[in-house]
Amino acid sequence: MAYLTLEDGTIFKGEAFGAKIDIMGEVVFNTGMTGYQEVLTDPSYCGQIVTMTYPLIGNYGIDEEISESAGPNVRAFVMREMCMQPSNWNCKETLQEYLEKYNVVGLAGIDTRELTRKIRDKGTMHGIITQVPPSVHQIEEMQAYEFEKPVEAMTCKEKYQYCDGTRKLAVLDFGLKRNILRSLAKRDCALTVFPALTPPEEILKGGYDGLMLTNGPGNPKDNPQIIENLKKLIGELPIFGICLGHQLVALAMGADTEKLKYGHRGANHPVKDMQKNKVYITSQNHGYTIMSRSLPGCAVVSHKNWNDQTIEGVKYIGYPMFTVQFHPEAAPGPEDTAYLFDEYIELIDRNRKI
C-alpha cells in the first residue's frame, strides 16, 4: 500500500511499484491514450507527479529506442491499472522493470478519474507519495515544495553535434525532446546542440543558418539570463521556438506569461492555424501561456487553442521568427503540424538568399 496526499488534504490509496520511496512534486494529468514512455522521458515533466487518465498503462511495454531522453524525468507515475504482461514485438521490458531500473516511483490502483476531476476543478496541486500515511512535517514540506532551476537540471552539460546536413543550425537545449532533433535531421540539417545558458556571442560567431529553441520544464519567468540572451539573438538568425522556447521568445519581446489552471497535457488538443483556417490535433505539455493583451505590436497570433482560445502560435512581423506552444514533433501524438518544420526550412532558405 502507498498513499498520494494532495496539498488540500485529499488522500488516495494505491499499490506502489517501481521505487518504494517517498517523493513529492506538482501533480498533473495527461490525457494521452498511448505514448506513456515518451511522457516518462519528456524533460518538460521534470519535478512533476504525472497521472495518466487512460485506465490501462504499460500494455505494450518499454522499448528505449523511442525514449525522448536518456531516462525518465517524472517524479512519479500514477495510473488506474498497470499491465503486468505487455504484448508488443518491440517490448524489451515491462513498465514495472523500467521504473525499478531508474528508481522512479509508480502508483497504481487509484481512482484517476476522481483525481483528474479534482485537479481540473481546483487546479494543479502539490502532492506527496509515501509508503505509510505522511507525517505533519512531510505535508508541510510538500506544501512548500519547489523544484529550483529545472531548465539547468535538464539541459545538456556541454555542446554536441547531432547530425550532418547542408543547413547548419544551432539548437538551444532547454530540456529537449529527441524528436525535435530527428525532425530537423530528416530535413537535411546539421545540428549543434548548446546548453541553455550558452552566451549569445558563441552562437552568433558560429556561422549558423538558424536557431532552434526547444521545449523545457518550469515557469518561463524563472529564466532571466536566458531571456536576456535571447534579446541579443532575436533578429540575427531565423528562429523557431517550441513550447518553453515559444514562451521565452515572448518574454524577450516584452510580452507576459501566466500560469494555466491545470495546463494542457495530452495528444488530443485542437489548435486552429489562423492563416490556413484549419484545425489540427496536437500534442501538448505545458502549464503556462502567453497573455494575449501583453503581446507587442509586431506580434501576430498564428495559432489558437480551440478549447480555451489561449495562444498557441505567434509570428513576429519584421523578424525571421515564429513560435508555437504545442509540439509539432509529436512523440507522443499526431504529426498533423509537422508542416511547421517545413515552413522553418523555407524561412531559413529565404534568409540565406538575402
Side-chain angles (χ1 to χ4, degrees):
M1 186 70 70
Y3 302 82
L4 169 60
T5 305
L6 302 180
E7 62 180 283
D8 69 350
T10 305
I11 298 177
F12 295 88
K13 297 179 183 180
E15 297 295 328
F17 66 98
K20 305 290 179 61
I21 58 176
D22 298 345
I23 201 78
M24 61 185 68
E26 182 185 38
V27 183
V28 301
F29 64 85
N30 183 291
T31 58
M33 295 175 66
T34 60
Y36 55 82
Q37 184 176 338
E38 292 93 333
V39 169
L40 282 167
T41 55
D42 183 347
S44 295
Y45 283 115
C46 173
Q48 295 179 327
I49 296 172
V50 179
T51 302
M52 300 300 292
T53 62
Y54 191 71
L56 180 64
I57 301 297
N59 52 311
Y60 54 87
I62 296 291
D63 175 11
E64 293 215 44
E65 290 186 8
I66 66 170
S67 292
E68 286 302 299
S69 63
N73 296 296
V74 303
R75 299 284 283 173
F77 204 42
V78 178
M79 65 206 68
R80 178 72 181 103
E81 180 181 352
M82 181 187 63
C83 178
M84 300 297 293
Q85 295 180 316
S87 177
N88 179 12
W89 68 278
N90 271 332
C91 175
K92 305 298 190 301
E93 58 189 330
T94 67
L95 176 60
Q96 180 173 359
E97 292 167 340
Y98 182 69
L99 295 188
E100 286 176 351
K101 180 170 69 176
Y102 285 101
N103 201 37
V104 175
V105 174
L107 182 63
I110 74 163
D111 188 342
T112 52
R113 179 178 173 84
E114 180 185 352
L115 174 57
T116 300
R117 292 182 65 160
K118 182 173 288 290
I119 295 172
R120 186 194 64 191
D121 294 342
K122 294 190 175 183
T124 55
M125 288 182 276
H126 292 163
I128 183 170
I129 295 177
T130 54
Q131 305 307 303
V132 297
S135 66
V136 173
H137 176 66
Q138 284 179 309
I139 292 176
E140 290 175 348
E141 277 190 323
M142 173 263 289
Q143 291 171 335
Y145 169 83
E146 291 293 339
F147 193 102
E148 296 185 358
K149 299 181 178 180
V151 170
E152 293 182 36
M154 291 293 100
T155 189
C156 57
K157 304 311 176 188
E158 56 186 26
K159 74 175 182 179
Y160 62 92
Q161 305 295 319
Y162 181 76
C163 59
D164 295 322
T166 58
R167 301 175 184 88
K168 186 179 177 183
L169 300 189
V171 180
L172 266 180
D173 175 14
F174 304 138
L176 65 80
K177 292 165 62 182
R178 288 173 175 170
N179 212 40
I180 292 177
L181 303 183
R182 298 186 197 111
S183 298
L184 292 170
K186 289 177 184 177
R187 291 163 173 83
D188 196 24
C189 295
L191 305 177
T192 303
V193 183
F194 290 89
L197 291 170
T198 299
E201 295 77 16
E202 182 176 348
I203 294 173
L204 291 174
K205 72 181 182 182
Y208 296 101
D209 298 315
L211 174 63
M212 181 79 227
L213 307 177
T214 75
N215 64 292
N219 184 344
K221 292 180 183 177
D222 291 341
N223 302 280
Q225 185 57 60
I226 296 174
I227 294 168
E228 289 303 311
N229 290 347
L230 288 179
K231 290 179 180 179
K232 299 177 182 178
L233 293 167
I234 289 172
E236 300 295 328
L237 292 167
I239 292 176
F240 181 19
I242 293 175
C243 199
L244 182 62
H246 160 82
Q247 298 164 358
L248 292 173
V249 165
L251 291 170
M253 293 295 287
D256 199 3
T257 58
E258 62 182 347
K259 188 170 185 178
L260 293 165
K261 185 176 181 181
Y262 50 83
H264 299 154
R265 297 175 179 89
N268 54 357
H269 291 260
V271 167
K272 185 171 184 178
D273 185 319
M274 306 305 290
Q275 290 181 313
K276 296 181 184 296
N277 195 33
K278 185 175 181 180
V279 174
Y280 297 89
I281 302 302
T282 68
S283 177
Q284 303 203 10
N285 174 18
H286 62 101
Y288 294 83
T289 186
I290 298 171
M291 300 170 66
S292 59
R293 61 183 178 275
S294 72
L295 285 171
C298 64
V300 175
V301 175
S302 59
H303 297 76
K304 282 188 177 181
N305 188 296
W306 223 237
N307 283 333
D308 60 13
Q309 300 298 301
T310 51
I311 294 174
E312 292 281 358
V314 179
K315 291 185 177 181
Y316 295 88
I317 306 302
Y319 297 86
M321 176 170 68
F322 65 91
T323 65
V324 294
Q325 181 64 76
F326 51 90
H327 289 271
E329 82 286 353
E335 299 179 349
D336 296 28
T337 55
Y339 68 87
L340 290 165
F341 287 106
D342 297 323
E343 291 186 359
Y344 182 48
I345 296 302
E346 292 172 5
L347 177 63
I348 289 170
D349 291 345
R350 287 198 304 270
N351 197 73
R352 292 169 79 186
K353 293 176 183 178
I354 295 175

